[in-house]
Amino acid sequence: MSLQDNGGFEIVLQHHQMPRLHFTPPERFRFSTDIQIYISHVNQGGHLDNAQLLTLVSEARVRFFKTLGYSEGDVAGHPIVVGDIGAQYQSEGFHGEVMCVSMEPTDFNRYGFDLAFQMREKASGRDVALGKVGIVFVQREIKKVAPVPAAFLQRLDAVFGPDAP
C-alpha cells in the first residue's frame, strides 16, 4: 500500500514492515553548496549522525536564502519557519567527506513551499540522503502564517530563472 501527496513524498506500507519515506527528486536542482563533515557530525558508529544530517541541511537552507539576498528572519519582509522535514537515508557519510547539498523549491502553496534536497558525497557522487524541508512564511507581529510574498517569487525568477513558480 502506498500513500502519496502531489509533492513527490510517499509513505510506503508493506505487510509486517515499518512504513518508510520515499522521495522523488525534482528533475533538477538549481542551487547547491558544499559542506564538509566534521568530527562533531559523526556518531559512535563512525558515520554521519542523523541529527547532524539535519544540521547540514539547515546550513544549506541558510545558504540558499542568502543566495537570494535574504536571512531566514527576513525573507521579503517575513520570517520563515520550518513546518516539517523528512529525509530518506541512502548511504553513510564519513568524517572529512565533502557533501554537495543541492536544493530546489517545489510544491508551492499559499503559505510556503517545500525545499527539496539531495545530499551527495562530492568526490564519488555517492547518494547520501534525499528529502524535503517544509518552509512556512510568518507574519511577525501576530505570529500567524502569511502568504508567500510576491517579491520572494520575483527574486526566485531573477536568481534561478523562470522555472520557479
Side-chain angles (χ1 to χ4, degrees):
M1 183 165 107
S2 176
L3 307 170
Q4 184 169 1
D5 73 9
N6 44 353
F9 170 73
E10 181 179 16
I11 299 176
V12 177
L13 302 174
Q14 297 177 350
H15 187 66
H16 300 293
Q17 290 186 348
M18 190 167 85
R20 294 286 185 221
L21 299 177
H22 293 275
F23 295 94
T24 303
E27 289 185 22
R28 67 181 180 156
F29 291 91
R30 291 174 288 162
F31 171 82
S32 64
T33 187
D34 294 342
I35 305 174
Q36 185 174 6
I37 296 177
Y38 295 121
I39 194 66
S40 60
H41 297 133
V42 175
N43 64 20
Q44 292 179 353
H47 59 260
L48 178 62
D49 183 81
N50 60 13
Q52 296 303 318
L53 178 130
L54 299 180
T55 299
L56 298 179
V57 170
S58 293
E59 175 63 26
R61 185 189 69 239
V62 168
R63 293 178 187 183
F64 168 82
F65 283 105
K66 187 174 183 179
T67 296
L68 295 169
Y70 298 122
S71 71
E72 292 187 315
D74 185 0
V75 178
H78 294 281
I80 59 159
V81 296
V82 172
D84 58 13
I85 187 168
Q88 176 185 351
Y89 299 96
Q90 298 172 305
S91 70
E92 297 173 306
F94 299 98
H95 174 248
E97 291 183 328
V98 175
M99 297 292 115
C100 178
V101 183
S102 301
M103 299 187 137
E104 178 69 23
T106 64
D107 302 324
F108 279 78
N109 61 60
R110 181 174 174 164
Y111 302 110
F113 62 96
D114 286 341
L115 191 54
F117 70 86
Q118 178 178 58
M119 183 180 291
R120 288 186 168 155
E121 196 278 322
K122 186 173 182 172
S124 69
R126 182 183 78 249
D127 290 328
V128 174
L130 190 63
K132 67 117 182 161
V133 180
I135 303 295
V136 180
F137 288 87
V138 177
Q139 295 178 37
R140 184 181 327 263
E141 304 78 26
I142 60 174
K143 296 186 180 182
K144 297 206 180 226
V145 295
V148 175
F152 171 72
L153 297 175
Q154 292 166 356
R155 181 78 53 91
L156 279 176
D157 281 349
V159 173
F160 295 125
D163 288 338

